[in-house]
Amino acid sequence: MTVRGPRWGLLPGALAACLLSAAAAVPTAAAQSSTGVATTATAPAAWSDAEWGDDDTREGKGASRLTGAWRADQDRGSMVSTTRVTHAQDVWGVSAPRGGPGTLTGRGVGVALVDTGVAPVEGLASPGKLVHGPDLSFESQVPGTRYLDGYGHGTHMAGIIAGRDSTVKAGEEKTDKQFVGMAPDATVVSVKVGAADGGADVSQVIAAIDWVVAHRATHNIRVLNLSYGVSSTQPSTRDPLAHAVENAWRAGIVVVAAAGNDGEDGATRLTMPAVDPYVIAVGSSDHHGSDDPRDMRVGAWTNDGTGERRPDLLAPGKSVVSLRVPGSLADVTHPEGLVTGDRSARFFRGTGTSQSAAVVSGAAALLVQADPSLTPDQVKNALRASADTLPGSDDPTQGAGLLDVKGAYDLVKKNKVGPATRQTHPRSTGLGSLEAARGASHVVDPDNGVVLTGEQDIFGVPWDAPVWAEASAQQRSWNAGSWNGSTWTGSSWAGTSWASTSWTRRSWSGTDWSRRSWSSAEWQRRSWSADDFSRRSWSADNFSRRSWSTGTWEPRGGW
């Protein structure tokens, strides 16, 4: 392993390691969500946040020093700084191709976000900005939680990818007074799989990816963001999650995945699906509190990978400021994520490869708008070929280097992405084990302690790998609202959301889903109360270590 210095932003007693540590393979306790379904205390879903807050370089304090009010242009983790250092702002001024309206801001491009849902907060509330695909999470059966983000992760990612305050006028995206994401006019298509405690089974994620592929034409979905990863115990050439993302790739969708946040534990392979060689695997850069490019390094939390598979490139992932979901799990349990001097109370900090993946997804949307004919292989080639090697660093974990959106656009404009560019890695068959795909991430029924294991999905339906793999490859694994023999959702759009349905099948443990529809009072009591939540599920240390891939969110388990 390349030594990168001490881990940044640790809270007292290493409490902020939520997403960075590895989870034990055998579940021992359950974290209860609003739906009564829980992730195991040993390994919840693996969202890729390494840590919430993590402002050890005191960006917030420095950015609010003059007046006490936070200034985005003075904070290295703000989206103003992120879009500047990645040169996305240089692309925003370029006229849209083929006489299209406006400039290159992602207009007309759909970015699918398979995550914990998205809350319609300011920055994501303008008409056409956010549409909700099916809610495949354990919270889909409750109207008050359906589509929404009780965890706070998905909204944070959506803001980075395509956030845009409603007051930002066309042509004024470079403002430092309002919030603007990487591709501010792209459409976010949210497909919720993670519950308020982060709980999600890999079968839900696979179903979500298949749905995105089947319905990609509706909102011109050309990019899929997966700030998620699991410690699969089988090679990508057999893993079903790898097969699903490769099918999306071959369908013309650029798949961007977080590399994982376990780098500080030693040489660690990339999480699945980032380890799949076809997709774009993203690691984090760390500014170390300096504006000097020579001080930029690989974020210590980034999974190193191996000689066979490293991150493809890096993007900012240190203490990134994006949109906050008041009252969400991250918000309640990680007050250190609040931004010093933010009088609007709208923003929240997160560190990890989840955030970095979201940055690259926004960049990919800009390139696809610039040239809609680009294939995913060409987008990947442009991003890698234009990335800037970190000065003074020979760390192989940086891959091709730091994201340079303007450099990638220049290659696209000059038609230097290679018309014959085509990856020829061995393809995944998808014939491996669903249980092996889970790695250490499992969900458990809190009523009876039954863990979801083996070759079955959340409804207890047997997993027939050959049948699913063929159907997924042929883009017919979904039949209206049914997948793998069960009805998961409705069969059509209802306005800006995909219609829901009641689950009639029992869960993997044999219990009735209708028993898990908590009243709002029970929701408040069981989930949002900081005291109750910490008692019932994760301590700050356990949660961040065991779940997310950004620092706390996507470090080790999955998201």
Side-chain angles (χ1 to χ4, degrees), residues 14-27:
L15 295 182
C18 295
L19 301 177
L20 292 175
S21 38
V26 181

Side-chain angles (χ1 to χ4, degrees), residues 49-93:
D49 300 321
E51 182 174 329
W52 294 112
D54 194 25
D55 189 16
D56 58 285
T57 59
R58 300 184 178 181
E59 296 300 316
K61 183 176 180 180
S64 57
R65 181 179 295 114
L66 292 180
T67 65
W70 180 67
R71 291 183 54 185
D73 62 329
Q74 300 297 308
D75 191 314
R76 295 179 184 87
S78 72
M79 286 311 297
V80 172
S81 296
T82 298
T83 55
R84 181 187 300 139
V85 74
T86 59
H87 305 291
Q89 291 189 14
D90 297 330
V91 171
W92 291 344

Side-chain angles (χ1 to χ4, degrees), residues 447-473:
D447 285 351
N448 52 31
V450 176
V451 180
L452 174 51
T453 61
E455 306 308 303
Q456 58 177 331
D457 64 18
I458 64 171
F459 295 108
V461 175
W463 181 254
D464 189 326
V467 170
W468 168 79
E470 180 180 1
S472 179

Side-chain angles (χ1 to χ4, degrees), residues 155-402:
T155 304
H156 207 258
M157 301 306 109
I160 294 170
I161 295 168
R164 183 190 184 107
D165 277 356
S166 58
T167 54
V168 178
K169 298 179 181 179
E172 297 182 0
E173 290 82 9
K174 296 180 183 180
T175 177
D176 59 6
K177 301 296 190 273
Q178 287 97 21
F179 184 84
V180 178
M182 291 291 293
D185 286 326
T187 298
V188 175
V189 181
S190 171
V191 183
K192 180 178 176 178
V193 295
D197 62 0
D201 183 61
V202 72
S203 62
Q204 293 166 288
V205 178
I206 293 171
I209 296 169
D210 281 356
W211 185 91
V212 168
V213 174
H215 299 88
R216 65 191 184 280
T218 306
H219 293 283
N220 189 33
I221 298 174
R222 295 295 310 278
V223 182
L224 167 59
N225 185 86
L226 287 166
S227 291
Y228 167 91
V230 286
S231 54
S232 174
T233 59
Q234 60 199 338
S236 63
T237 51
R238 290 185 54 78
D239 191 274
L241 180 55
H243 187 65
V245 295
E246 286 185 21
N247 291 335
W249 192 269
R250 285 189 285 276
I253 300 172
V254 181
V255 181
V256 182
N261 298 323
D262 300 320
E264 291 170 300
D265 292 332
T268 308
R269 71 193 293 264
L270 304 188
T271 55
M272 186 71 72
V275 72
D276 187 283
Y278 280 94
V279 307
I280 300 175
V282 186
S284 294
S285 63
D286 184 347
H287 53 68
H288 285 275
S290 172
D291 294 322
D292 190 336
R294 294 173 295 182
D295 294 327
M296 189 77 73
R297 291 291 184 271
V298 177
W301 54 87
T302 302
N303 285 20
D304 293 275
T306 65
E308 294 182 353
R309 180 60 166 147
R310 304 277 189 187
D312 288 299
L313 76 167
L314 305 177
K318 169 67 174 180
S319 196
V320 179
V321 177
S322 187
L323 300 173
R324 171 189 175 220
V325 182
S328 64
L329 174 62
D331 187 55
V332 169
T333 58
H334 291 284
E336 69 277 9
L338 297 173
V339 176
T340 301
D342 171 26
R343 294 173 178 173
S344 69
R346 295 179 53 208
F347 304 118
F348 206 71
R349 292 186 186 277
T351 290
T353 57
S354 277
Q355 282 79 3
S356 302
V359 170
V360 173
S361 288
L366 297 175
L367 297 185
V368 169
Q369 183 196 4
D371 185 351
S373 71
L374 290 175
T375 66
D377 284 346
Q378 289 175 316
V379 172
K380 181 175 180 178
N381 183 45
L383 291 172
R384 285 181 50 85
S386 60
D388 301 318
T389 302
L390 300 184
S393 174
D394 60 357
D395 189 341
T397 306
Q398 70 178 292
L402 183 64

